[in-house]
Amino acid sequence: MGTPHSWRLTDIPDLSDKIVVVTGANSGIGYVTARELGRRGAHVVLACRDPERGKNALDRMRAEVPDARLELRQVDLASLASVREFAAGWDHDRLDLLINNAGIAAVPFARTADGFESQFGVNHLGPFALTGLLLPHLRAAPAARVISVGSMAHRFVRFDLDNLNAERSYRAAFHYGRTKRAVLYFAMELQRRAAAAGLALRSMAVEPGFTRTNVMTGGANATRGRLYLTAMRLAERIAFRPPEEGAKTSLYAATVPDLPGGSYIVPDWPLQMRGEPTRRTREPALYDAETAGRVWELSERLTGVTYDLPEPA
């Protein structure tokens, strides 16, 4: 299935009957994703780690889209307790769309509150737990979608299932790529299990391409020294696209009506660096059900979150 190169944010259909969660919605791709879904009528929950930054984003978004239905809720994907609190506090009758957007990239080594390597915890285990805990509300929607934001970095690393939590070694950029491969495995395995259960839920993965956000210069990366920050900001200015372009793949996957579950949406340029959203099918990780199943089992064991879904045949 191809994608028209003319697809634009204005092609997003009316979403006035949808309830949406976007993690990491206070900046970058997450902010644009939440804003544009709100612009089209969805009730959007901005799920943010930092309450102050989240409030600033909410105020800014309301100024840009005065009629949008928006609310702010706190969740820290580096803390399973926070993830459980967010899910336990869900008080809408359903959840139509969950966009697992928040993440960190190539940060210095650190552990989460639960002892996980930080990139593995925030990029994969936190979203895995959040999705599983929100699954009853996703099942209550007539045609829910879960969108997992990955990265092209996943295809440039050797996937080491036995070192995902950095027990043996840690190289920031390579470990980032491994965690994003885990994201892709999760999205495809969730689709297999939802299909085996006969659910209408559709799980998809996306890549944003080179996008100008604060993921490489903010947070833990802000302490990496003047030379690194100067070089990265220069590279972003020259080669990276604005967040409005990077958010297209998420918004396309979230809103195109006839897109099948298990779709992998990427920019259409070589190496998926930039371009218009298109469905990519030539990706070995999409079909590696054996590894995906092992990642799923590991994730359930580490998080303590189990899904009420059958294993695919």
Side-chain angles (χ1 to χ4, degrees):
M1 176 179 174
T3 303
H5 285 222
S6 59
W7 191 86
R8 297 291 182 265
L9 299 183
T10 52
D11 293 325
I12 298 172
D14 178 74
L15 302 172
S16 55
D17 61 340
K18 304 298 183 185
I19 301 173
V20 178
V21 168
V22 182
T23 65
N26 57 278
S27 65
I29 292 169
Y31 179 90
V32 173
T33 300
R35 184 189 67 196
E36 296 308 313
L37 294 172
R39 193 189 303 277
R40 300 303 298 160
H43 181 114
V44 183
V45 175
L46 283 67
C48 302
R49 177 184 61 84
D50 186 305
E52 183 177 353
R53 293 180 64 201
K55 178 62 165 56
N56 291 339
L58 180 67
D59 292 343
R60 177 183 163 203
M61 202 176 295
R62 282 176 170 162
E64 293 183 63
V65 191
D67 296 331
R69 295 180 295 155
L70 308 169
E71 62 173 302
L72 174 66
R73 299 195 184 194
Q74 195 270 339
V75 66
D76 183 356
L77 295 174
S79 165
L80 291 177
S82 176
V83 171
R84 290 182 181 278
E85 183 178 2
F86 179 93
W90 188 256
D91 50 4
H92 295 284
D93 64 349
R94 68 188 190 283
L95 175 57
D96 297 285
L97 175 60
L98 170 61
I99 300 185
N100 289 315
N101 165 82
I104 56 178
V107 296
F109 179 79
R111 293 282 181 191
T112 69
D114 304 285
F116 306 128
E117 186 280 317
S118 62
Q119 293 188 93
F120 184 44
V122 173
N123 295 346
H124 172 64
L125 292 177
F128 178 91
L130 180 65
T131 305
L133 293 167
L134 290 174
L135 184 60
H137 308 293
L138 290 162
R139 297 182 75 152
R145 297 192 193 192
V146 176
I147 311 301
S148 299
V149 178
S151 167
M152 71 177 72
H154 84 86
R155 63 173 58 91
F156 302 116
V157 299
R158 183 179 66 86
F159 190 71
D160 187 352
L161 183 62
D162 297 323
N163 194 41
L164 279 178
N165 205 22
E167 291 93 345
R168 298 196 313 273
S169 62
Y170 180 76
R171 297 174 66 185
F174 286 92
H175 210 69
Y176 170 69
R178 293 188 187 105
T179 67
K180 287 300 186 178
R181 179 85 66 84
V183 168
L184 188 54
Y185 285 138
F186 162 64
M188 296 304 110
E189 185 69 6
L190 176 58
Q191 177 58 38
R192 294 184 191 103
R193 293 181 181 234
L199 300 183
L201 183 149
R202 283 177 275 180
S203 174
M204 308 179 199
V206 305
E207 284 185 20
F210 281 4
T211 307
R212 197 177 305 126
T213 71
N214 66 354
V215 70
M216 296 301 296
T217 56
N221 279 324
T223 65
R224 297 189 64 175
R226 181 176 299 177
L227 181 62
Y228 166 86
L229 293 173
T230 300
M232 186 54 63
R233 286 166 181 155
L234 179 61
E236 288 181 346
R237 192 176 305 118
I238 295 172
F240 287 38
R241 305 179 297 163
E244 283 74 12
E245 292 297 313
K248 277 186 176 181
T249 52
S250 293
L251 289 163
Y252 186 90
T255 63
V256 169
D258 59 350
L259 202 59
S263 293
Y264 180 38
I265 306 301
V266 304
D268 62 2
W269 277 33
L271 297 179
Q272 291 75 62
M273 293 186 295
R274 58 177 61 226
E276 294 301 315
T278 189
R279 185 181 173 204
R280 178 175 172 84
T281 57
R282 293 184 177 182
E283 193 68 56
L286 301 177
Y287 311 104
D288 188 355
E290 180 180 355
T291 304
R294 292 176 64 194
V295 171
W296 187 281
E297 292 170 3
L298 175 66
S299 303
E300 286 191 329
R301 176 164 56 82
L302 292 177
T303 64
V305 175
T306 57
Y307 285 59
D308 183 21
L309 295 174
E311 291 186 30

